[in-house]
Amino acid sequence: MEEKFAKPAIGAIVERNIDDKKYIIIQERWKEDGNETNGQYELPAGKIREYENAYDTVRREVFEETGLKVTKIIGEEEIIHSKDIGTINFMPFCITQNLANAYSIICAHFICEAEGEPVLETNESRNIRWIEIHELAKLLRNQRDKFFIMNINALEKYLELNNL
């Protein structure tokens, strides 16, 4: 019997302050094989490429899915890089593991900041926009089923961190 393994992925909670209010970027999922998840709200995220470090994955995925350039990733300054053995130790904001749905994946979410303006859409996402976190909290409470499952716990933890 062939063993199957969970795929490692990275998600990004991209923050920005606008007029003294905190916003994050969200998008509507639109993947070629997305099926019933297409149209759900999600964070920029994607799988880690072979031998790509987690922080490079954050930067790549945010840029590919939003057009934004990541300028800061919370916790990156605490990375432990053992160059002699080719490993890194890092601490994401939170990790979500899918145990029962479409496919087996483990997603490490990071909080970061980025510059630039989001593109309108990419080949994986549409309606990319900044959302004020109070509005996000209401949307998540009232339409939880409209969010991609791999982001719900991370967003709830993030909103709790922000006392919402």
Side-chain angles (χ1 to χ4, degrees), residues 128-139:
I128 304 159
R129 65 196 181 283
W130 294 104
I131 185 170
E132 199 271 329
I133 62 171
H134 288 88
E135 183 183 340
L136 173 69
K138 287 180 199 169
L139 191 60

Side-chain angles (χ1 to χ4, degrees), residues 32-68:
E32 188 174 302
D33 59 351
N35 303 318
E36 72 280 351
T37 66
N38 279 343
Q40 292 181 330
Y41 300 118
E42 72 170 357
L43 299 169
K47 294 176 188 76
I48 302 170
R49 292 179 178 162
E50 187 174 24
Y51 301 114
E52 180 180 48
N53 83 46
Y55 298 99
D56 290 343
T57 305
V58 171
R59 288 181 179 84
R60 178 179 54 78
E61 286 293 340
V62 168
F63 183 76
E64 286 177 1
E65 294 191 10
T66 69
L68 298 172

Side-chain angles (χ1 to χ4, degrees), residues 8-12 45 48 54 58 90 92-96 106-110 150:
I10 296 294
I48 302 170
V58 171
F90 59 90
F93 170 64
C94 74
I95 299 174
T96 303
I106 297 172
C107 187
H109 292 87
F110 292 83
M150 293 304 294

Side-chain angles (χ1 to χ4, degrees), residues 40-145:
Q40 292 181 330
Y41 300 118
E42 72 170 357
L43 299 169
K47 294 176 188 76
I48 302 170
R49 292 179 178 162
E50 187 174 24
Y51 301 114
E52 180 180 48
N53 83 46
Y55 298 99
D56 290 343
T57 305
V58 171
R59 288 181 179 84
R60 178 179 54 78
E61 286 293 340
V62 168
F63 183 76
E64 286 177 1
E65 294 191 10
T66 69
L68 298 172
K69 182 180 177 188
V70 171
T71 57
K72 178 181 180 180
I73 303 171
I74 306 299
E76 185 174 20
E77 64 281 353
E78 297 165 12
I79 190 173
I80 299 171
H81 190 170
S82 300
K83 292 180 183 178
D84 61 325
I85 58 173
T87 63
I88 64 170
N89 288 28
F90 59 90
M91 182 68 71
F93 170 64
C94 74
I95 299 174
T96 303
Q97 182 180 4
N98 185 1
L99 297 174
N101 296 288
Y103 53 90
S104 182
I105 193 165
I106 297 172
C107 187
H109 292 87
F110 292 83
I111 298 173
C112 60
E113 297 173 5
E115 61 186 23
E117 291 304 317
V119 296
L120 296 176
E121 66 180 54
T122 70
N123 63 337
E124 296 183 348
S125 52
R126 296 181 178 173
N127 199 16
I128 304 159
R129 65 196 181 283
W130 294 104
I131 185 170
E132 199 271 329
I133 62 171
H134 288 88
E135 183 183 340
L136 173 69
K138 287 180 199 169
L139 191 60
L140 190 56
R141 267 193 308 272
N142 298 328
Q143 297 181 29
R144 194 170 194 257
D145 62 324

